[in-house]
Amino acid sequence: MARHSLIELEAVLAIVRCGSFRAAALDLGISTTAISNAVGKLERQLDVRLFNRTTRSVSLTYAGRIFVAQIKSALDDIQKAMNTARSQQETPSGTLRINAFATAAREIMAPLVLSYLQRYPQVHIDLVTEGRLVDVVAAGFDLGVRSADLVPSDAIAIPLGQMRRMAVAASPAFFQSRAIPQVPQDLLSYPCVRVRLPNGALLRWRFEKGGEELQLDVEGPITLDEASLTRIAVTNDVGIGYFMETDVREDFAAGRLVRILEDWTPPLVPLCLYYSNRRNSSAAFQAFIALARDYAAGRLTQP
């Protein structure tokens, strides 16, 4: 089956619009010979004459009128699609899809994602949180956010640079009748709020101090799989919880939670924004990358 190029179809419409081969050639920025050859090639492929030509005039044949009526709206739609794609290279617009762990999404939500939306209101961000590792390219995402040790080796990564730590905490009321644990092993005799990971395994609480590392399988009255639920349980005196520090920082400041074993929770591997090699990426994508680099370097100011 013969394939027809866009220039051949555009040539037909230009001749109709301009009234002559010469004027159409000037309109398209090509030679008269080139436009004549394009129309001739199309007529041979279709096996039908589209134009009646004389030395002084040109007009559509009956078959030509039917053909033009059918292709015009389709070519208009193609042109609109091309203009839309081209505009996204100039002004940030469209949709950006980001995949992240829930804890990572909470960390970047206000300082990066919301700051971006304030600057570029024509962009829609689709932020998907999930615990499992996914191939962001195969799954249709533009960007991923994970800890640096989980970023694929062939990806381009931007370390976001903010210090991350775990925090062990309980409510003030919880310790009114209990001694405060002094070392991680003390937790084995306390009720703790356990956390289930996306793969079904229970989270082991990790600690490190002075080169000594240990992991604990704590016990407690409840097992949860979402950080906000764990926070509710702990602030209601159910037991001791193990959190991302950023999730409970305001609770520490307000006195709703008491932090313990802080010297046993050193900094974690930093978060990274990562993506595959993107050529001809949209303006929305480029703007997000630029803002992420400013965020990582501490240059990001509120708009």
Side-chain angles (χ1 to χ4, degrees):
M1 179 181 291
R3 294 182 179 272
H4 313 301
S5 68
L6 194 60
I7 185 59
E8 294 161 2
L9 303 180
E10 288 181 334
V12 170
L13 293 184
I15 294 166
V16 173
R17 183 174 63 251
C18 299
S20 72
F21 278 66
R22 178 180 173 80
L26 291 172
D27 184 62
L28 294 179
I30 60 178
S31 67
T32 304
T33 299
I35 199 169
S36 180
N37 289 340
V39 172
K41 178 182 177 182
L42 182 60
E43 288 178 327
R44 289 191 298 273
Q45 290 174 338
L46 297 175
D47 196 25
V48 66
R49 178 175 290 278
L50 299 175
F51 292 98
N52 292 315
R53 308 172 181 81
T54 70
T55 56
R56 289 178 296 180
S57 66
V58 59
S59 62
L60 285 169
T61 64
Y62 176 74
R65 288 197 299 272
I66 295 175
F67 181 73
V68 167
Q70 292 179 334
I71 69 168
K72 188 175 186 308
S73 61
L75 284 183
D76 286 344
D77 289 341
I78 290 173
Q79 190 62 52
K80 289 177 183 177
M82 294 175 67
N83 289 339
T84 298
R86 193 175 294 115
S87 69
Q88 291 185 9
Q89 291 297 100
E90 300 167 356
T91 302
S93 60
T95 296
L96 280 180
R97 300 193 71 227
I98 304 173
N99 184 282
F101 286 159
T103 52
R106 288 193 293 271
E107 288 186 45
I108 68 168
M109 185 66 178
L112 181 55
V113 174
L114 298 186
S115 292
Y116 178 86
L117 290 176
Q118 290 173 341
R119 287 168 169 78
Y120 306 107
Q122 295 183 55
V123 180
H124 173 86
I125 289 185
D126 183 4
L127 178 59
V128 176
T129 61
E130 54 187 321
R132 66 188 181 95
L133 284 170
V134 301
D135 182 333
V136 294
V137 175
F141 292 97
D142 299 291
L143 300 155
V145 182
R146 293 288 185 272
S147 58
D149 55 336
L150 296 177
V151 172
S153 58
D154 60 347
I156 299 172
I158 301 174
L160 296 180
Q162 310 302 310
M163 190 184 77
R164 307 166 66 235
R165 296 178 67 186
M166 301 304 297
V168 186
S171 67
F174 181 84
F175 287 124
Q176 284 182 355
S177 59
R178 297 177 177 90
I180 294 179
Q182 299 301 306
V183 293
Q185 293 87 337
D186 291 345
L187 296 171
L188 298 176
S189 60
Y190 285 76
C192 296
V193 177
R194 304 196 303 176
V195 175
R196 190 176 302 281
L197 298 171
N199 64 6
L202 291 174
L203 174 68
R204 306 188 78 190
W205 294 17
R206 298 171 181 267
F207 298 95
E208 179 184 344
K209 181 179 179 181
E212 179 183 358
E213 298 182 20
L214 67 152
Q215 300 180 30
L216 297 180
D217 289 315
V218 298
E219 297 292 338
I222 189 169
T223 301
L224 302 168
D225 66 355
E226 213 290 317
S228 63
L229 297 177
T230 300
R231 177 185 170 278
I232 291 171
V234 173
T235 54
N236 281 275
D237 316 325
V238 169
I240 299 173
Y242 187 70
F243 303 93
M244 285 298 302
E245 181 184 57
T246 50
D247 287 343
V248 289
R249 190 173 287 152
E250 292 182 1
D251 293 307
F252 292 147
R256 289 185 293 267
L257 290 177
V258 175
R259 186 169 190 168
I260 62 173
L261 301 173
E262 185 173 358
D263 56 339
W264 281 91
T265 55
L268 299 172
V269 175
L271 285 179
C272 281
L273 180 75
Y274 68 98
Y275 56 96
S276 64
N277 187 17
R278 299 285 293 267
R279 294 181 179 178
N280 300 319
S281 54
S282 69
F285 180 90
Q286 295 175 31
F288 195 92
I289 295 301
L291 199 67
R293 294 190 187 281
D294 285 343
Y295 170 68
R299 297 191 299 265
L300 189 56
T301 57
Q302 293 301 313

